[in-house]
Amino acid sequence: MSDPLLSIRDLCVDYITDQGPVRAVDRVTLDVAPGEILGVAGESGCGKSTLAQALLRILPPPAVISRGEIRFEGCDVLRLGEEELRTLRWRRISMVFQSAMDALNPVIPVGEQIVDTLVAHDAMDTRAARRRAAELLDMVGIPADRLDSYAHQLSGGMRQRTGIALALALKPSLVILDEPTTALDVIVERDILDQIRQLQRELGFAVLFITHDLARMLQVSDRVAVFYAARLVEMGPADEIRRAPKHPYTQGLLRAFPSLHGESSPQSIPGSPPSLESPPSGCRFHPRCDRAVPQCREEEPALLPLASGHSAACHLAE
Ligand code: SF4
């Protein structure tokens, strides 16, 4: 990989509770290259959204970054002051949240929200900002005459497209998409993901695409990182993971979604993710893994390289 845009090393995020720290992101190391789409997959509570919040340093209390390093475009994110963080957020890294309805202000027209962002962060005059806001809406497939619409006057798909326009307003080099299409029907979801991919090719930004839907992610991403119970358990090129996933959890996630051509029916992974307050010993997936051997209960597998940029944390991975 060329010099990474984003480099995360040994990152830990803890929730400080009366019973002690609960680790929500555990010793995660990964890179994102300029212009790359990295998918981050895993079930709810696996740490993927916490990781995104840590990158922007917007973790809600009582979560704290307890260890590790985050470097973005060469600068040490954990040492930035408030003013530098303000520049980092939106201008260099922006985020589209799960529910654009929650992220958009319901009492301000959507165009005005884009204008406000451009005026506040880009020192644009209002007239130029309004022209740019119309361009941004057009870029995501919303007619410019919706500039004066309120969020509740737009469909779910249009609200989410507006959230994407807002995220692209300041031409960031990384856009974090946190479950951007979860609340939408499959047709709208596919259109929006196609559009994100097209915009990413045209504008060259990198994407951290967070979702529980591994099958959907594989269609969009260049590389994929799979999380389980706060740990990164498999990482590799999307084609390689689609063709030959090595970790039994990744294999289970792939079986849990309908196949594109309907040749097999979905099968859920038995059991549920463990509590992070007291995760299982050894491999955290062992209580749900049909391939577990005695070693799995005692020894935690390290994330080891396999081939072609592919790595997995499983004692049985070749
Ligand atoms: Fe399953 Fe063992 Fe591999 Fe964990 S280390 S995924 S329990 S085979």
Side-chain angles (χ1 to χ4, degrees):
M1 185 188 282
S2 55
D3 278 354
L5 177 74
L6 171 70
S7 171
I8 299 171
R9 291 289 170 273
D10 205 25
L11 188 73
C12 294
V13 178
D14 292 340
Y15 282 81
I16 307 301
T17 72
D18 292 343
Q19 287 70 45
V22 175
R23 187 145 289 178
V25 172
D26 194 0
R27 292 162 285 159
V28 168
T29 290
L30 58 82
D31 291 332
V32 179
E36 174 184 45
I37 300 186
L38 177 71
V40 179
E43 291 162 292
S44 290
C46 69
K48 51 194 193 310
S49 293
T50 304
L51 175 77
Q53 292 170 338
L55 298 183
L56 284 171
R57 293 200 28 213
I58 53 170
L59 285 164
V64 294
I65 295 171
S66 53
R67 189 167 113 181
E69 184 182 64
I70 302 171
R71 297 192 82 82
F72 183 75
E73 292 177 332
C75 84
D76 185 345
V77 172
L78 301 187
R79 288 179 183 272
L80 296 181
E82 273 312 311
E83 193 53 39
E84 294 161 311
L85 277 174
R86 198 168 163 273
T87 307
L88 178 85
R89 297 173 190 141
W90 291 108
R91 180 177 290 285
R92 294 164 67 196
I93 306 179
S94 65
M95 187 157 174
V96 179
F97 294 91
Q98 276 181 33
S99 168
M101 194 62 178
D102 294 341
L104 292 172
N105 189 323
V107 296
I108 298 177
V110 292
E112 204 174 315
Q113 295 181 54
I114 301 175
V115 168
D116 287 348
T117 303
L118 291 166
V119 170
H121 294 266
D122 228 7
M124 248 185 207
D125 69 58
T126 311
R127 188 180 283 187
R130 199 170 157 83
R131 272 200 306 275
R132 175 77 181 134
E135 281 169 20
L136 284 160
L137 285 187
D138 181 56
M139 206 161 76
V140 296
I142 298 179
D145 62 6
R146 304 311 294 261
L147 270 177
D148 296 317
S149 299
Y150 292 88
H152 72 269
Q153 295 172 316
L154 303 178
S155 66
M158 286 173 112
R159 289 196 296 270
Q160 202 58 293
R161 287 175 200 275
T162 305
I164 294 165
L166 203 49
L168 297 179
L170 301 176
K171 303 181 183 152
S173 35
L174 175 66
V175 179
I176 300 172
L177 303 171
D178 188 0
E179 304 269 10
T181 54
T182 299
L184 304 174
D185 69 56
V186 286
I187 306 287
V188 178
E189 177 186 32
R190 197 190 54 207
D191 285 351
I192 288 184
L193 292 179
D194 286 349
Q195 193 161 43
I196 288 170
R197 185 82 202 171
Q198 190 185 330
L199 288 169
Q200 182 267 339
R201 286 195 190 114
E202 286 169 18
L203 303 176
F205 53 86
V207 176
L208 197 68
F209 176 34
I210 297 170
T211 179
H212 62 281
D213 184 342
L214 180 58
R216 185 72 69 213
M217 170 183 291
L218 287 169
Q219 294 167 18
V220 175
S221 305
D222 300 310
R223 282 191 311 137
V224 167
V226 181
F227 278 66
Y228 184 74
R231 298 279 285 141
L232 179 55
V233 296
E234 182 158 9
M235 184 147 180
D239 287 347
E240 177 83 10
I241 292 207
R242 186 191 295 111
R243 192 180 56 77
K246 297 297 182 193
H247 197 285
Y249 177 61
T250 312
Q251 294 163 0
L253 279 182
L254 280 169
R255 285 194 298 266
F257 290 94
S259 65
L260 276 181
H261 308 293
E263 65 269 24
S264 56
S265 36
Q267 293 167 9
S268 60
I269 304 172
S272 19
S275 159
L276 295 177
E277 288 169 33
S278 53
S281 61
C283 174
R284 293 180 179 187
F285 189 57
H286 84 250
R288 303 172 74 187
C289 182
D290 58 9
R291 295 174 58 200
V293 294
Q295 181 191 13
C296 302
R297 292 175 189 80
E298 282 150 28
E299 200 182 309
E300 185 176 27
L303 186 73
L304 294 177
L306 302 164
S308 9
H310 192 168
S311 50
C314 171
H315 294 306
L316 304 188
E318 289 163 10

